[in-house]
Amino acid sequence: MADEQVTETENRTENARQEDQPKATNETETTSAEKTPAEPATQKDHDGSATSNDESSNSQSEDAHEATVQESVRKPVVPSPAALAKTPAKHPVTPPTVTYSQEDMKSAESFGRVDDNGTVYVKDGQDEREVGQFPGASKEEALSLYAKRYLDLKAKFDLFAARLTSSTIKPHEIDESLKTLNEENTNPEVVGDLAALRTQFAQLQQAAESKKQELTAARKAALEKAIEERTTIVEKAEKLAASLNDNTNWRSTADKFNSLFNQWQEHQRNSVRIDKPTADALWKRFSSARAAFNQQRRKWAQARDAAREQTKIAKEAIIKEANDLKDSTDWANTSHAFNALMDRWKEAGRIGRREDDELWARFREAADTFFNARQADREHTNTAEKENLAKKEELLKKAEALLPVVDEQAAKQARQALATIQDEWDQIGYVPREDIHRIESGLDAVDKAIKNVEDAAWKKSDPEADARVSSFETQLKAQLEDLEKKIAGEDDPDKKARLEAEKATKEQWLNAIR
């Protein structure tokens, strides 16, 4: 804002000065009543701005124009009275648009005088020198013109002093302005206190030097801060690269490197420009850290792929052994053998999730074939477990009758009733192996249904609860589809009846959670 005010004031001063500039005259220019004041002959004149590039361009054009004027009026020829009577005035003196106080004008005019020939002189200490001529004009007009020029020049000094307080001024602008003002202050064709003008210019030089030192220090501090900030980014990248090991989370670390790279680019765009040698050295360190990470990640990926291939080979061998054992009727020894295969499966490790699931399904199919056959054999002798199963199925029916639970009060009553059922359940004992999951899952489903209502009572909205219900519903649907397939392929009436009973139970659960 200060810069805009300075520039605007300087423009007004320059315009006023140009309007005060009298036009060159020649021998043919006259007036019918009186003489038109001729352009005062000046030794030199500098119409430049001390601050603006646009004003400097305008100044060069004006200097060229005034140089032409100076050549024509360097040694003016006073026209004869007859010549003055021939033509009317063409270039009257334009009234200035910017005026100074009478006090300032009188103070400046006190340092000059005009002789009878229109020659203007200025006092410079103990000396006096000619600054120009203004023939045909009154002494007051001539003296006023050169006093205004003095005040114009002083105003430029004041404007430059104001600019030095701005935070946006550049060192080269300071140098250019000082150069221009120095030229204008060297034997200026003005009337005023030249000693005060020289003193002010000396003060401006000192202030300008201090401002340049301040700007240099600020630039140095900003540069040091920028280097420190970018060095911090580099050190973080190097620390990441140095921390790589077998336990590294490569995806997370890659995200961290990408984040640091984005920080680098953002800093490069928004901070001060760092010198090229320093910037190149920092980039070399940062790039080396990224390259080290990429190299280590490639090695890890290669090792992982090799390990997965070995794991796949090991699991294929385990599946082959399981298929060889699945039709055995040596229940005890084969059970131990399957347990050993399971241990080897766990020790083999994991490969890709999809391939792992496919291999596991093949292994599980062989194991289920054996264990289902063993369980079928046990069904003929394990009457106690069947009796326990019947008791638990009756208890399960009582538990399922507690559903659906619609509010908190009903949930409390259902919880009390379910606690009694669970106590009886725990006292009954084991059930046949193939029914353990079904019967236990049934009771768990009732417990979960009651708990859902209890949870909803103290927490009105729980997205995780909805997700759990949806997951359980999906599981029930999958189990029902599996039971339908088993029922369709089962020829044994007893097994088929049990499967249909299990299907009916799960359908009740599904209706309950809906």
Side-chain angles (χ1 to χ4, degrees), residues 20 96 98-112 140-152 191-192:
D20 283 343
V98 177
T99 58
Y100 297 100
S101 68
Q102 288 295 328
E103 182 181 355
D104 290 340
M105 290 294 295
K106 292 298 182 183
S107 177
E109 290 172 356
S110 66
F111 287 87
E140 290 76 11
E141 288 179 324
L143 198 59
S144 175
L145 173 65
Y146 285 91
K148 286 181 180 178
R149 288 190 176 185
Y150 168 81
L151 293 176
D152 287 346
V191 170

Side-chain angles (χ1 to χ4, degrees), residues 192-298:
D193 190 351
L194 298 183
L197 212 55
R198 285 192 288 269
T199 299
Q200 185 179 4
F201 182 72
Q203 293 172 349
L204 284 176
Q205 287 179 311
Q206 294 177 357
E209 185 62 30
S210 298
K211 185 64 175 182
K212 288 200 297 183
Q213 292 176 1
E214 177 188 333
L215 293 174
T216 300
R219 164 68 183 175
K220 182 179 179 181
L223 181 61
E224 290 175 352
K225 181 182 178 183
I227 293 175
E228 180 181 354
E229 291 171 346
R230 200 168 297 183
T231 301
T232 300
I233 297 175
V234 172
E235 289 174 347
K236 288 181 180 179
E238 291 175 336
K239 185 177 180 181
L240 276 179
S243 67
L244 302 177
N245 53 48
D246 294 339
N247 297 323
T248 296
N249 185 326
W250 297 98
R251 177 174 295 179
S252 173
T253 306
D255 291 340
K256 291 177 182 177
F257 265 105
N258 289 334
S259 175
L260 289 175
F261 181 66
N262 291 336
Q263 293 176 37
W264 178 285
Q265 290 182 313
E266 186 70 17
H267 189 270
Q268 198 172 33
R269 285 192 296 266
N270 298 327
S271 68
V272 298
R273 184 179 181 86
I274 299 176
D275 59 283
K276 191 174 187 303
T278 303
D280 288 347
L282 290 173
W283 173 251
K284 184 177 181 180
R285 290 171 58 188
F286 183 78
S287 181
S288 297
R290 292 177 71 201
F293 165 74
N294 290 330
Q295 184 178 10
Q296 288 285 76
R297 182 169 61 171
R298 282 194 295 271

Side-chain angles (χ1 to χ4, degrees), residues 304 307-316 318-319 342 344-365:
R304 176 201 60 190
R308 284 182 173 180
E309 185 62 28
Q310 293 300 318
T311 298
K312 183 177 180 180
I313 293 173
K315 288 188 174 182
E316 289 283 3
I318 292 172
I319 291 171
M342 179 65 71
R344 285 168 55 190
W345 185 277
K346 294 177 181 179
E347 292 172 358
R350 292 185 60 83
I351 55 179
R353 181 172 181 177
R354 179 177 299 176
E355 288 186 283
D356 237 356
D357 290 345
E358 291 176 355
L359 292 172
W360 171 252
R362 291 166 58 193
F363 175 73
R364 188 70 257 174
E365 182 182 4

Side-chain angles (χ1 to χ4, degrees), residues 56 70 212 299 305 314 386 422 452:
S56 297
Q70 291 170 4
K212 288 200 297 183
K299 289 182 179 179
D305 292 342
K386 291 182 179 181
Q422 287 174 330
N452 287 340

